[in-house]
Amino acid sequence: MTATGKTEIEPVEKSIIVNRDAETAFRFYTRHLDVWWPKESHSLGADRDGVTPACVGMEEGVGGWLYEESADGTRRSWGKIRVWEPGRRLVHSWQFDKPDEQATEVEVVFTDLGNGQTRIDLTHRGWENDPDGEKLRGGYQSGWDPVLAGLEVRCNQFRD
């Protein structure tokens, strides 16, 4: 049970290893979202309107927004940054255009393994905040796989 009396739903947990040090991996993850995110399949525009957004992005620092932007400049919110620890950790809400009280939370931890490698651990939790939490969790369990696969490939190719 959570503090609000809701039944806790197990988080989605995923890990990848990239061939970059933790600082570079963090910088790539946060500054180059538009390069690695599969916006053609994983965006509000693609999901709801059948139109791929022109870009997706992340504003740096606590309080910054994750968003997608359409060709006409309209922005749609994905979430808001709660923790910003460059090279180490990032936590943000995940709303995907839903009200604040239905937001889930994504935590991304960057662990430097040495030899130019970093493990990136993603935990997506807080499903009980959304009335459709159980169903959504099931979709995200597999939905994060192509997202992180794109991150892994493009981060390994990245030249800063």
Side-chain angles (χ1 to χ4, degrees), residues 38-103:
K39 59 188 177 227
E40 305 80 19
S41 59
H42 289 68
S43 64
L44 289 164
D47 290 349
R48 297 184 185 167
D49 307 328
V51 179
T52 300
C55 69
V56 297
M58 183 181 304
E59 299 171 347
E60 295 185 9
V62 172
W65 290 97
L66 284 79
Y67 61 88
E68 68 181 61
E69 192 170 302
S70 64
D72 70 3
T74 302
R75 277 194 179 186
R76 290 169 130 171
S77 172
W78 286 6
K80 194 169 188 177
I81 297 172
R82 296 175 173 169
V83 176
W84 182 269
E85 298 174 2
R88 295 189 43 226
R89 184 170 162 247
L90 171 71
V91 179
H92 58 81
S93 65
W94 188 255
Q95 293 168 249
F96 232 51
D97 240 2
K98 289 190 173 194
D100 290 346
E101 62 273 6
Q102 292 181 8

Coordinates of all heavy atoms in Angstrom, one line a residue, residues 38-103:
P38 N 12.4 7.4 -30.3 CA 11.6 7.0 -31.5 C 10.3 7.7 -31.6 O 9.2 7.1 -31.4 CB 11.5 5.5 -31.3 CG 11.4 5.4 -29.8 CD 12.4 6.4 -29.3
K39 N 10.3 9.0 -31.9 CA 9.1 9.8 -31.9 C 8.1 9.4 -33.0 O 6.9 9.7 -32.8 CB 9.5 11.3 -32.1 CG 10.2 11.6 -33.4 CD 10.7 13.1 -33.3 CE 11.5 13.3 -34.6 NZ 12.7 14.0 -34.3
E40 N 8.5 8.6 -34.0 CA 7.6 8.1 -35.0 C 6.6 7.1 -34.4 O 5.5 6.9 -34.9 CB 8.3 7.4 -36.1 CG 9.4 8.3 -36.8 CD 10.7 8.4 -36.0 OE1 11.0 7.5 -35.1 OE2 11.5 9.3 -36.3
S41 N 7.0 6.5 -33.3 CA 6.1 5.5 -32.7 C 5.8 5.7 -31.2 O 4.8 5.2 -30.7 CB 6.8 4.1 -32.8 OG 8.1 4.1 -32.1
H42 N 6.6 6.6 -30.6 CA 6.4 6.8 -29.1 C 6.3 8.3 -28.8 O 7.2 9.0 -28.3 CB 7.7 6.3 -28.4 CG 7.7 4.8 -28.3 ND1 7.9 4.0 -29.4 CD2 7.5 3.9 -27.3 CE1 7.9 2.7 -29.1 NE2 7.7 2.7 -27.8
S43 N 5.1 8.9 -29.2 CA 4.9 10.3 -29.0 C 3.4 10.5 -29.0 O 2.6 9.6 -29.5 CB 5.5 11.2 -30.1 OG 4.9 10.9 -31.4
L44 N 2.9 11.6 -28.4 CA 1.5 11.9 -28.4 C 1.0 12.1 -29.8 O -0.1 11.7 -30.2 CB 1.3 13.2 -27.6 CG 1.4 13.0 -26.1 CD1 1.6 14.4 -25.4 CD2 0.3 12.2 -25.5
G45 N 1.8 12.8 -30.6 CA 1.4 13.1 -32.0 C 1.2 11.8 -32.8 O 0.1 11.6 -33.5
A46 N 2.1 10.9 -32.7 CA 2.0 9.6 -33.4 C 0.9 8.7 -32.8 O 0.1 8.1 -33.6 CB 3.4 8.8 -33.3
D47 N 0.8 8.7 -31.5 CA -0.2 7.8 -30.8 C -1.6 8.4 -31.1 O -2.5 7.6 -31.3 CB 0.0 7.8 -29.3 CG 1.2 7.0 -29.0 OD1 1.8 6.3 -29.8 OD2 1.6 7.0 -27.8
R48 N -1.8 9.7 -30.9 CA -3.2 10.2 -30.9 C -3.6 10.8 -32.2 O -4.8 10.8 -32.6 CB -3.3 11.2 -29.8 CG -3.1 10.6 -28.4 CD -3.4 11.6 -27.3 NE -3.0 11.0 -26.1 CZ -2.9 11.6 -24.9 NH1 -3.0 12.9 -24.9 NH2 -2.6 11.0 -23.8
D49 N -2.7 11.4 -33.0 CA -3.0 12.1 -34.2 C -2.5 11.5 -35.5 O -2.9 11.9 -36.5 CB -2.4 13.6 -34.1 CG -2.8 14.3 -32.8 OD1 -3.9 14.1 -32.3 OD2 -2.0 15.1 -32.4
G50 N -1.6 10.5 -35.3 CA -1.0 9.9 -36.5 C 0.0 10.8 -37.2 O 0.4 10.6 -38.3
V51 N 0.5 11.8 -36.5 CA 1.5 12.8 -37.0 C 2.7 12.8 -36.1 O 2.6 13.1 -34.9 CB 0.8 14.2 -37.1 CG1 1.9 15.2 -37.7 CG2 -0.4 14.2 -37.9
T52 N 3.8 12.5 -36.7 CA 5.1 12.5 -36.0 C 5.4 14.0 -35.6 O 5.4 14.8 -36.5 CB 6.2 11.9 -36.8 OG1 5.9 10.6 -37.1 CG2 7.6 12.0 -36.1
P53 N 5.8 14.2 -34.3 CA 6.2 15.6 -34.0 C 7.5 16.0 -34.7 O 8.3 15.2 -35.1 CB 6.4 15.5 -32.5 CG 6.5 14.0 -32.1 CD 5.9 13.3 -33.2
A54 N 7.6 17.3 -34.8 CA 8.8 17.9 -35.5 C 10.0 17.6 -34.6 O 11.1 17.3 -35.2 CB 8.6 19.4 -35.7
C55 N 9.9 17.7 -33.3 CA 11.0 17.4 -32.4 C 10.5 17.1 -31.0 O 9.3 17.3 -30.7 CB 12.0 18.6 -32.4 SG 11.3 20.0 -31.5
V56 N 11.4 16.4 -30.3 CA 11.1 16.2 -28.8 C 12.4 16.7 -28.1 O 13.4 16.8 -28.7 CB 10.9 14.7 -28.5 CG1 9.7 14.2 -29.2 CG2 12.1 13.8 -28.9
G57 N 12.2 17.2 -26.9 CA 13.3 17.8 -26.2 C 13.1 17.8 -24.7 O 12.1 17.3 -24.1
M58 N 14.2 18.2 -24.0 CA 14.2 18.3 -22.5 C 14.9 19.6 -22.1 O 16.0 19.9 -22.6 CB 15.0 17.1 -22.0 CG 15.1 17.0 -20.5 SD 16.0 15.5 -19.9 CE 15.3 14.2 -20.7
E59 N 14.3 20.3 -21.3 CA 14.9 21.5 -20.7 C 15.7 21.1 -19.5 O 15.2 20.4 -18.6 CB 13.8 22.5 -20.3 CG 12.9 23.0 -21.5 CD 11.7 23.8 -21.0 OE1 11.4 23.8 -19.8 OE2 11.1 24.4 -21.9
E60 N 16.9 21.6 -19.5 CA 17.8 21.2 -18.4 C 17.5 21.7 -17.0 O 17.0 22.9 -17.0 CB 19.3 21.6 -18.8 CG 19.8 20.9 -20.0 CD 21.3 21.2 -20.3 OE1 21.9 21.8 -19.4 OE2 21.7 20.8 -21.3
G61 N 17.7 21.0 -16.0 CA 17.6 21.4 -14.6 C 16.2 21.1 -14.0 O 15.2 20.9 -14.7
V62 N 16.2 21.2 -12.7 CA 15.0 20.9 -11.9 C 13.9 22.0 -12.4 O 14.2 23.2 -12.5 CB 15.2 21.0 -10.4 CG1 13.9 21.0 -9.7 CG2 16.1 19.9 -10.0
G63 N 12.7 21.5 -12.7 CA 11.7 22.3 -13.2 C 11.6 22.4 -14.7 O 10.6 22.9 -15.2
G64 N 12.6 21.9 -15.4 CA 12.6 21.8 -16.9 C 11.5 20.8 -17.4 O 11.2 19.9 -16.6
W65 N 11.1 21.0 -18.6 CA 10.0 20.2 -19.1 C 10.6 19.2 -20.2 O 11.5 19.5 -20.9 CB 9.0 21.0 -19.9 CG 8.2 21.8 -18.9 CD1 8.4 23.1 -18.5 CD2 7.0 21.4 -18.2 NE1 7.4 23.5 -17.6 CE2 6.6 22.4 -17.4 CE3 6.4 20.1 -18.1 CZ2 5.5 22.3 -16.5 CZ3 5.3 20.0 -17.2 CH2 4.8 21.1 -16.5
L66 N 10.0 18.0 -20.2 CA 10.1 17.1 -21.4 C 8.9 17.4 -22.2 O 7.8 17.5 -21.7 CB 10.1 15.6 -20.9 CG 11.4 15.1 -20.2 CD1 11.5 15.6 -18.8 CD2 11.4 13.6 -20.3
Y67 N 9.1 17.4 -23.5 CA 8.0 17.8 -24.4 C 8.2 17.3 -25.8 O 9.3 16.9 -26.2 CB 7.9 19.4 -24.4 CG 9.2 20.0 -25.0 CD1 9.3 20.2 -26.4 CD2 10.2 20.3 -24.2 CE1 10.5 20.7 -26.9 CE2 11.4 20.9 -24.7 CZ 11.5 21.1 -26.0 OH 12.7 21.6 -26.5
E68 N 7.1 17.4 -26.6 CA 7.2 17.2 -28.0 C 6.6 18.5 -28.6 O 5.8 19.2 -28.0 CB 6.5 16.0 -28.5 CG 5.0 16.0 -28.4 CD 4.3 14.7 -28.8 OE1 4.6 13.7 -28.2 OE2 3.5 14.8 -29.8
E69 N 7.1 18.8 -29.8 CA 6.7 20.0 -30.5 C 6.3 19.7 -31.9 O 7.0 19.0 -32.6 CB 7.8 21.0 -30.5 CG 7.4 22.4 -31.0 CD 8.6 23.4 -30.8 OE1 9.0 23.6 -29.6 OE2 9.0 24.0 -31.8
S70 N 5.1 20.1 -32.3 CA 4.6 19.8 -33.6 C 5.2 20.8 -34.6 O 5.8 21.8 -34.3 CB 3.1 19.9 -33.6 OG 2.7 21.2 -33.4
A71 N 4.9 20.6 -35.9 CA 5.5 21.4 -37.0 C 5.0 22.9 -36.8 O 5.7 23.8 -37.2 CB 5.1 20.8 -38.3
D72 N 3.8 23.1 -36.3 CA 3.3 24.5 -36.1 C 3.8 25.1 -34.8 O 3.4 26.2 -34.5 CB 1.8 24.5 -36.2 CG 1.1 23.9 -35.0 OD1 1.8 23.4 -34.0 OD2 -0.1 23.8 -35.0
G73 N 4.7 24.4 -34.1 CA 5.3 25.0 -32.9 C 4.5 24.7 -31.6 O 4.9 25.1 -30.5
T74 N 3.4 24.0 -31.7 CA 2.6 23.6 -30.5 C 3.4 22.6 -29.7 O 3.9 21.6 -30.2 CB 1.2 23.0 -30.9 OG1 0.6 24.0 -31.7 CG2 0.4 22.7 -29.7
R75 N 3.5 22.9 -28.4 CA 4.2 22.0 -27.4 C 3.2 21.2 -26.6 O 2.2 21.7 -26.2 CB 5.1 22.7 -26.5 CG 6.4 23.1 -27.0 CD 7.4 23.5 -25.9 NE 8.7 23.8 -26.5 CZ 9.7 24.1 -25.8 NH1 9.7 24.1 -24.5 NH2 10.9 24.3 -26.4
R76 N 3.5 19.9 -26.4 CA 2.7 19.0 -25.5 C 3.7 18.5 -24.5 O 4.8 18.0 -24.8 CB 2.1 17.9 -26.3 CG 1.0 18.3 -27.3 CD 0.7 17.2 -28.2 NE -0.7 16.9 -28.2 CZ -1.3 16.1 -29.1 NH1 -0.5 15.4 -29.9 NH2 -2.6 15.9 -29.1
S77 N 3.2 18.5 -23.3 CA 4.1 18.1 -22.1 C 4.1 16.6 -22.0 O 3.1 15.9 -22.0 CB 3.5 18.8 -20.8 OG 4.2 18.2 -19.7
W78 N 5.3 16.1 -21.7 CA 5.5 14.7 -21.3 C 5.8 14.6 -19.8 O 5.5 13.6 -19.2 CB 6.7 14.2 -22.1 CG 6.5 13.9 -23.5 CD1 5.4 14.2 -24.3 CD2 7.4 13.2 -24.4 NE1 5.6 13.8 -25.6 CE2 6.8 13.2 -25.7 CE3 8.7 12.7 -24.2 CZ2 7.5 12.6 -26.8 CZ3 9.3 12.1 -25.3 CH2 8.7 12.1 -26.6
G79 N 6.4 15.6 -19.2 CA 6.7 15.6 -17.8 C 7.6 16.7 -17.4 O 8.0 17.5 -18.2
K80 N 7.9 16.7 -16.1 CA 8.7 17.8 -15.5 C 9.8 17.2 -14.7 O 9.6 16.3 -13.9 CB 7.8 18.7 -14.6 CG 8.4 20.0 -14.3 CD 7.4 20.9 -13.6 CE 7.9 22.3 -13.4 NZ 6.9 23.2 -12.8
I81 N 11.0 17.8 -14.8 CA 12.2 17.3 -14.1 C 12.1 17.6 -12.6 O 11.9 18.8 -12.2 CB 13.5 17.9 -14.7 CG1 13.6 17.4 -16.2 CG2 14.7 17.5 -13.9 CD1 14.7 18.0 -17.0
R82 N 12.3 16.6 -11.8 CA 12.3 16.7 -10.3 C 13.7 16.6 -9.7 O 13.9 17.3 -8.7 CB 11.4 15.6 -9.8 CG 10.0 15.7 -10.2 CD 9.2 14.5 -9.7 NE 7.7 14.7 -10.0 CZ 6.8 13.7 -9.9 NH1 7.2 12.5 -9.5 NH2 5.6 14.0 -10.2
V83 N 14.6 15.8 -10.3 CA 16.0 15.7 -9.8 C 16.9 15.8 -11.0 O 16.7 15.1 -12.0 CB 16.2 14.4 -9.1 CG1 17.6 14.2 -8.6 CG2 15.2 14.2 -7.9
W84 N 17.9 16.6 -10.9 CA 18.9 16.8 -11.9 C 20.3 16.7 -11.3 O 20.8 17.6 -10.7 CB 18.7 18.2 -12.6 CG 19.6 18.5 -13.7 CD1 20.8 19.1 -13.7 CD2 19.3 18.2 -15.1 NE1 21.3 19.2 -15.0 CE2 20.4 18.7 -15.8 CE3 18.3 17.6 -15.8 CZ2 20.5 18.6 -17.2 CZ3 18.4 17.4 -17.2 CH2 19.5 17.9 -17.9
E85 N 21.0 15.6 -11.5 CA 22.3 15.4 -11.0 C 23.2 14.9 -12.2 O 23.3 13.7 -12.4 CB 22.3 14.3 -9.9 CG 21.5 14.7 -8.7 CD 21.4 13.5 -7.7 OE1 22.0 12.4 -7.9 OE2 20.7 13.7 -6.7
P86 N 23.8 15.9 -12.9 CA 24.5 15.6 -14.1 C 25.6 14.5 -13.9 O 26.3 14.5 -13.0 CB 25.2 16.9 -14.5 CG 24.2 17.9 -14.0 CD 23.7 17.3 -12.7
G87 N 25.5 13.5 -14.9 CA 26.4 12.4 -14.8 C 26.0 11.3 -13.8 O 26.7 10.2 -13.8
R88 N 25.0 11.5 -13.1 CA 24.6 10.5 -12.1 C 23.1 10.1 -12.1 O 22.8 8.9 -12.2 CB 24.8 11.1 -10.7 CG 26.3 11.3 -10.4 CD 26.6 11.7 -8.9 NE 25.8 10.9 -8.0 CZ 25.2 11.3 -7.0 NH1 25.2 12.6 -6.7 NH2 24.5 10.6 -6.2
R89 N 22.2 11.1 -12.2 CA 20.8 10.7 -11.9 C 19.9 11.8 -12.5 O 20.2 13.0 -12.4 CB 20.6 10.5 -10.4 CG 19.3 10.1 -10.0 CD 19.4 9.7 -8.5 NE 18.0 9.6 -7.9 CZ 17.5 10.5 -7.0 NH1 18.3 11.4 -6.6 NH2 16.3 10.3 -6.6
L90 N 18.7 11.3 -13.0 CA 17.7 12.2 -13.5 C 16.4 11.6 -13.0 O 16.2 10.4 -13.2 CB 17.8 12.3 -15.0 CG 16.6 12.9 -15.7 CD1 16.7 14.5 -15.5 CD2 16.7 12.6 -17.2
V91 N 15.5 12.4 -12.5 CA 14.1 11.9 -12.2 C 13.1 13.0 -12.7 O 13.3 14.2 -12.6 CB 13.9 11.8 -10.6 CG1 12.5 11.4 -10.3 CG2 14.9 10.9 -10.0
H92 N 12.1 12.4 -13.4 CA 11.1 13.4 -13.9 C 9.7 12.7 -13.9 O 9.6 11.5 -13.9 CB 11.4 13.8 -15.4 CG 11.5 12.7 -16.4 ND1 10.5 12.1 -16.9 CD2 12.6 12.1 -16.9 CE1 10.9 11.1 -17.8 NE2 12.2 11.1 -17.7
S93 N 8.7 13.5 -13.8 CA 7.4 13.0 -13.9 C 7.1 12.6 -15.3 O 7.8 12.9 -16.2 CB 6.3 14.1 -13.5 OG 6.4 15.2 -14.5
W94 N 6.2 11.7 -15.5 CA 5.8 11.2 -16.8 C 4.3 11.4 -16.9 O 3.5 10.6 -16.3 CB 6.2 9.8 -17.0 CG 6.0 9.3 -18.4 CD1 5.0 8.4 -18.8 CD2 6.8 9.6 -19.5 NE1 5.1 8.2 -20.2 CE2 6.2 8.9 -20.6 CE3 7.9 10.4 -19.7 CZ2 6.7 9.0 -21.9 CZ3 8.4 10.5 -21.0 CH2 7.8 9.8 -22.1
Q95 N 3.8 12.4 -17.6 CA 2.4 12.7 -17.7 C 1.8 12.4 -19.0 O 0.6 12.1 -19.1 CB 2.2 14.2 -17.3 CG 2.5 14.4 -15.8 CD 2.6 15.9 -15.5 OE1 3.7 16.3 -15.2 NE2 1.5 16.5 -15.5
F96 N 2.5 12.6 -20.0 CA 2.1 12.4 -21.4 C 0.7 13.1 -21.6 O -0.3 12.5 -22.0 CB 2.0 10.9 -21.7 CG 2.8 10.5 -23.0 CD1 4.0 11.0 -23.2 CD2 2.1 9.7 -23.9 CE1 4.7 10.6 -24.4 CE2 2.8 9.4 -25.1 CZ 4.1 9.8 -25.3
D97 N 0.7 14.4 -21.2 CA -0.5 15.2 -21.4 C -1.7 14.9 -20.4 O -2.8 15.2 -20.7 CB -1.1 15.1 -22.8 CG -1.1 16.5 -23.5 OD1 -0.6 17.5 -22.9 OD2 -1.5 16.6 -24.7
K98 N -1.3 14.3 -19.3 CA -2.4 13.9 -18.3 C -2.3 14.9 -17.1 O -1.2 15.6 -17.0 CB -2.2 12.5 -17.8 CG -2.5 11.5 -18.8 CD -2.6 10.1 -18.2 CE -3.1 9.1 -19.2 NZ -3.5 7.9 -18.5
P99 N -3.3 15.0 -16.2 CA -3.2 15.9 -15.1 C -2.1 15.5 -14.1 O -1.7 14.3 -14.1 CB -4.6 15.7 -14.4 CG -5.4 14.9 -15.3 CD -4.5 14.3 -16.3
D100 N -1.6 16.5 -13.4 CA -0.5 16.2 -12.4 C -0.7 15.0 -11.5 O 0.2 14.3 -11.2 CB -0.2 17.5 -11.6 CG 0.4 18.6 -12.4 OD1 0.9 18.4 -13.5 OD2 0.4 19.7 -11.8
E101 N -2.0 14.9 -11.0 CA -2.2 13.9 -10.0 C -2.2 12.5 -10.6 O -2.1 11.5 -9.9 CB -3.6 14.1 -9.3 CG -4.8 14.1 -10.2 CD -5.1 15.4 -10.9 OE1 -4.4 16.4 -10.7 OE2 -6.2 15.5 -11.6
Q102 N -2.2 12.3 -11.9 CA -2.1 11.0 -12.6 C -0.7 10.7 -13.1 O -0.4 9.7 -13.7 CB -3.0 10.9 -13.8 CG -4.5 10.9 -13.3 CD -5.4 10.8 -14.5 OE1 -5.0 10.6 -15.7 NE2 -6.7 10.9 -14.2
A103 N 0.3 11.6 -12.8 CA 1.7 11.5 -13.3 C 2.3 10.2 -12.6 O 2.1 10.0 -11.4 CB 2.5 12.7 -12.9

